[in-house]
Amino acid sequence: ATTEIYTLSLHDALPICREQVLEPILQVLATHKQTGNAELPVYLAGVLKNVSHSTDNQEFLIREGGLRILTEMLVRDDLAETKEKQAAVLVQVAVTLRNLAIKPQHHRHFIQAKTISALTQVCAVYMHHRELLSNIARILAKLSLHQAALDELSTEKSVRQLMAVLAAHKDCTSLVLRLTFVLGNLTAKD
């Protein structure tokens, strides 16, 4: 059933009744531990990624604590049996967060959920996972346009982590551009 829901969500064919589909997905993701079904969190997080393009679904995810659940998932180490599978889940989570970060009115929820700190922690653990780091950089670039996010990002630990990612991926133009944009916004603040 999970793969069917995922497939439907890819084609905007998922008959979304938010309370009947998205709410249970959030509940499962909030409590899921490693089980025999290693693909479950990837597919469920993928459904959220696929439907988070919709404004209505974004509002539902924000209202129902989806941002908090996704942020908590970033720092968990029990989502999958291996680091590689865990990273696959986190890519889906990061893209969903990226979609939520598009709207400036959501940014205060990122601050409340401590998402920026969680994102920089993920950077440290997955320093060599470019796809994940690229999505995180895209989130941080969007958030860095707002003062409250800059205040969160301006810790020495966060800046050092961003610099470490830059040093490790200086040959990845898109990552370098986004992270230097974030760092530029940090230096431009009062």
Side-chain angles (χ1 to χ4, degrees), residues 62 65-76 93 97 106-123 136 139-140 143 148-149 151-153 155 157-158:
I62 294 290
L67 181 61
R68 178 189 49 77
I69 291 167
L70 294 167
T71 298
E72 290 170 357
M73 288 176 71
L74 290 171
V75 295
R76 288 176 51 190
V93 168
L97 289 170
H106 294 163
H107 293 181
R108 67 183 171 89
H109 299 284
F110 280 80
I111 303 305
Q112 292 167 349
K114 306 281 187 220
T115 307
I116 292 171
S117 174
L119 291 168
T120 58
Q121 288 176 34
V122 171
C123 289
I136 289 171
I139 297 164
L140 294 177
L143 295 176
D151 292 343
E152 292 278 323
L153 273 167
T155 67
K157 184 177 179 180
S158 293

Side-chain angles (χ1 to χ4, degrees), residues 19-138:
E19 290 76 20
Q20 293 177 340
V21 177
L22 297 183
E23 191 172 320
I25 288 174
L26 288 172
Q27 291 171 358
V28 170
L29 288 173
T31 60
H32 177 77
K33 303 271 192 269
Q34 296 173 13
T35 65
N37 186 352
E39 301 301 318
L40 181 66
V42 175
Y43 282 116
L44 293 179
V47 170
L48 294 182
K49 173 196 74 173
N50 294 337
V51 303
S52 65
H53 293 284
S54 155
T55 300
D56 290 339
N57 292 335
Q58 288 178 6
E59 297 308 319
F60 181 85
L61 290 170
I62 294 290
R63 185 177 60 251
E64 297 302 319
L67 181 61
R68 178 189 49 77
I69 291 167
L70 294 167
T71 298
E72 290 170 357
M73 288 176 71
L74 290 171
V75 295
R76 288 176 51 190
D77 62 1
D78 62 350
L79 297 172
E81 289 87 13
T82 66
K83 189 174 180 180
E84 182 180 309
K85 290 179 181 178
Q86 179 96 1
V89 175
L90 295 180
V91 166
Q92 303 299 313
V93 168
V95 176
T96 306
L97 289 170
R98 185 187 79 208
N99 291 339
L100 294 174
I102 289 170
K103 291 192 169 196
Q105 62 266 36
H106 294 163
H107 293 181
R108 67 183 171 89
H109 299 284
F110 280 80
I111 303 305
Q112 292 167 349
K114 306 281 187 220
T115 307
I116 292 171
S117 174
L119 291 168
T120 58
Q121 288 176 34
V122 171
C123 289
V125 175
Y126 295 93
M127 179 63 79
H128 299 290
H129 198 289
R130 274 201 181 156
E131 182 182 11
L132 181 55
L133 293 172
S134 292
N135 280 294
I136 289 171
R138 290 176 76 178

Side-chain angles (χ1 to χ4, degrees), residues 130 163-177 179:
R130 274 201 181 156
M163 295 299 293
V165 172
L166 274 172
H169 297 281
K170 59 185 171 247
D171 61 329
C172 181
T173 306
S174 63
L175 192 51
V176 169
L177 285 172
L179 289 179

